[in-house]
Every structure is written in C-alpha cells, then in structure tokens.
Amino acid sequence: MRPFQYLSPGNLSEAISLLAKYREEAKVIAGGTDLVVQMRRGVIKPKFVVDITGIPGLDYIRYDDTQGLRIGALTTIRVLEKSADLWQRYPIISQAACKLGSAAIRNVATVGGNLCNAMPIADTAQALLALSAKVRTLGPEGERVVPLEDFFTGVGKTSLKIGELLVEIQVPVPLPNTRGLYLKHLTRGSIDLPIVNVAVLVTLEPEDKVCKDIKIVLGSVASTPIRARKAEEIMRGKRIDDALIHRTAQVASDEAHPRPGSIRASVEYKREMVKVFTRQLIQEIVSQYN
C-alpha cells in the first residue's frame, strides 16, 4: 500500500474544504470495506485519505408520513438490516442489506459508501432505485438533490463533483398496496460477488390484480444498476396473469447487457437468471395479495 496522509475532519465544512483542496488526490473513507481493499491491491493510490466517521449527525434513520424516509450516509448496513421501522415500511431495503457480505462487513460498511463505490453489484442500490430514491449532497457550491438513477455514471463512477459528499438518502412514501422483493444469485455464499441481482417493486390493485406501477431493477448486467423500463411498460396498467409475467421476465432479460468475458458467468447465463429472478419475484409479490 502506498503511503498516504490521514485526515480526520470534525465537521462537514472541514471535510468539504479538504476534498476541494486535494481534489483527485483525496479519497473519502467511512466503513472502508471497499476502499482499504482497493488500496491494498494498488488499484487506488490516494495521497490523502479523509475519514468522515467522526463527523456527527450523519448516522440516522428517520421517517415522516409526508416526507418519507431519510437515511444518513454513515448509517451502517447492519442498522438497515436490523431496523424494525424499515422492515415494516421499506422491507426491500432490509432484504438487500442482510444479503451484503458477512455480518462483520455489515457492521462497519455504510450505506453512503456502498452507493459511492458505484459498483453495479451494490445491494442497496438495487432496492433504493426500485423505491425511486434520491441522494442529497453537499459541496463547495452548496446542496444538491440528485435522483439515484442519475447518480451512477459508470463502474466506480458517480455524479459527485470535486469536494462533494453524499450526506443523505431520501426515499418517498410508497403508494398504497406496494410491495417489493430483492434477490441475488451467488455461487459461494454471502461474501461472494453476485452473478445477478434483481429488485422488483409492484403496486397492485388487490381486487382485480391490475398492476398500477412496477419497478424492475437489474444489477451485475451493465456498467450501472439499470431499470428494465420496457419490461415495466408491458405490465403497467394490465391485469397480471402468468402469461404477462413470463413476457415481462423475457423482456427484462433482453434489456440486460452483461459484459462479455466475465469470469463469474456468461452473457447467456446472466440473461437467463434475470428472466428467472424477475418471474419469480413478480409471482411471489402477487401471491402475497391472495
């Protein structure tokens, strides 16, 4: 690991000033579960590491019936996994959280770090995208609120500007009769990287099983997590039956664009698993209304 200077700001203003000063030479560390590994491998070689864990007021889960959910960037994955409020109101977030790595990793990894690492396999990203989440950032030019879908710009890349920090995740109140599920396909247990991960959120008219709205989010099949928008349009506004579910799953599979040559699975296999998971998740969600 290349030598670096460790910096520990006591507040947001100080952290932003340091990041603005050292620009590309600085990296932010919170849980460090991704950054430290990449530094040890020599993938990332920062001259300055800015530790934001000492900044107060960034570790929280708050809910309001009007504003919805607010999650501080330093909230650990373990807290998301264990939160009774999340399991009650946004269970898809907790489902994704409990599938991220091992318990030891979840104890220190933060939701902000998981998003800022910007890997297409990131568990929390799939669930939060399905929920139409936004992120709030602070930087030298002030505050911005960015749809999470626009936050990811490529593998390991985000729309954060020089000096900006992600400080909060904002999730709107779901529509009535909305339910979601998250799945990921692994080969060697919870600490392995996923071959495919899929999140589905459905808003259903319980009496006639008409789909009022649906979000299908695919991970590990493109350079960023992606919405399967064509598949969503097939189902939206229609009465759900097996034929419609199968057609939707096939279109979602067609929208996946895995990288050829992946050591974890072939393009064809990843697309097939997208189809299987999408079909399985929609069927399971619909069955919950019976």
Side-chain angles (χ1 to χ4, degrees):
M1 184 185 295
R2 180 171 129 178
F4 60 89
Q5 185 175 346
Y6 174 81
L7 304 170
S8 182
N11 55 58
L12 280 171
S13 295
E14 186 179 350
I16 291 168
S17 295
L18 289 170
L19 293 172
K21 178 180 180 181
Y22 296 118
R23 301 175 68 83
E24 290 86 356
E25 295 181 332
K27 287 292 181 182
V28 174
I29 189 169
T33 54
D34 289 309
L35 180 66
V36 172
V37 171
Q38 294 183 67
M39 289 174 63
R40 285 176 175 168
R41 292 175 177 172
V43 177
I44 296 177
K45 302 176 182 179
K47 291 184 180 180
F48 304 91
V49 172
V50 181
D51 187 351
I52 64 171
T53 55
I55 297 176
L58 293 179
D59 178 5
Y60 57 85
I61 297 176
R62 300 170 185 156
Y63 178 79
D64 179 88
D65 288 335
T66 302
Q67 299 296 321
L69 179 68
R70 299 291 184 268
I71 305 174
L74 291 184
T75 305
T76 66
I77 302 300
R78 188 68 164 176
V79 169
L80 299 184
E81 175 189 5
K82 294 296 184 179
S83 169
D85 285 341
L86 286 187
W87 277 110
Q88 178 183 355
R89 295 187 173 97
Y90 300 88
I92 192 172
I93 296 177
S94 297
Q95 292 168 21
C98 69
K99 290 179 170 62
L100 191 154
S102 64
I105 290 174
R106 296 195 294 273
N107 279 331
V108 293
T110 64
V111 62
N114 193 233
L115 296 178
C116 289
N117 195 39
M119 290 292 107
I121 61 174
D123 293 279
T124 62
Q126 325 300 324
L128 290 168
L129 277 166
L131 289 163
S132 302
K134 298 178 181 179
V135 295
R136 182 166 66 90
T137 69
L138 286 178
E141 300 176 4
E143 178 180 297
R144 289 194 302 147
V145 176
V146 182
L148 186 58
E149 192 169 1
D150 298 332
F151 183 69
F152 304 115
T153 59
V155 178
K157 298 178 180 180
T158 72
S159 63
L160 283 173
K161 300 178 182 179
I162 295 295
E164 275 191 321
L165 280 171
L166 188 158
V167 296
E168 183 180 74
I169 297 96
Q170 303 177 349
V171 186
V173 179
L175 294 171
N177 297 311
T178 296
R179 299 183 186 183
L181 290 171
Y182 172 79
L183 276 177
K184 73 175 180 178
H185 180 34
L186 303 167
T187 56
R188 298 181 300 175
S190 63
I191 63 172
D192 196 15
L193 297 177
I195 295 173
V196 164
N197 35 357
V198 179
V200 175
L201 195 77
V202 178
T203 302
L204 199 66
E205 285 287 357
E207 294 183 1
D208 54 15
K209 298 293 176 64
V210 170
C211 175
K212 294 181 64 177
D213 195 19
I214 183 169
K215 303 288 194 309
I216 301 171
V217 184
L218 313 178
S220 309
V221 295
S223 60
T224 66
I226 61 170
R227 288 265 304 277
R229 293 185 180 276
K230 293 178 181 178
E232 294 171 358
E233 283 302 315
I234 287 174
M235 182 161 287
R236 195 173 286 121
K238 298 183 181 68
R239 188 180 187 279
I240 298 178
D241 56 25
D242 285 343
L244 183 64
I245 292 174
H246 280 73
R247 183 182 170 205
T248 300
Q250 180 60 61
V251 173
S253 173
D254 295 340
E255 291 186 79
H257 298 288
R259 176 176 59 87
S262 170
I263 62 173
R264 295 198 298 278
S266 67
V267 169
E268 293 76 17
Y269 184 76
K270 281 177 173 275
R271 284 178 172 159
E272 182 63 23
M273 291 311 301
V274 166
K275 181 169 65 175
V276 170
F277 274 19
T278 302
R279 182 176 66 243
Q280 178 181 339
L281 289 173
I282 297 173
Q283 288 173 335
E284 189 170 341
I285 290 170
V286 172
S287 71
Q288 294 176 2
Y289 290 87
N290 293 332

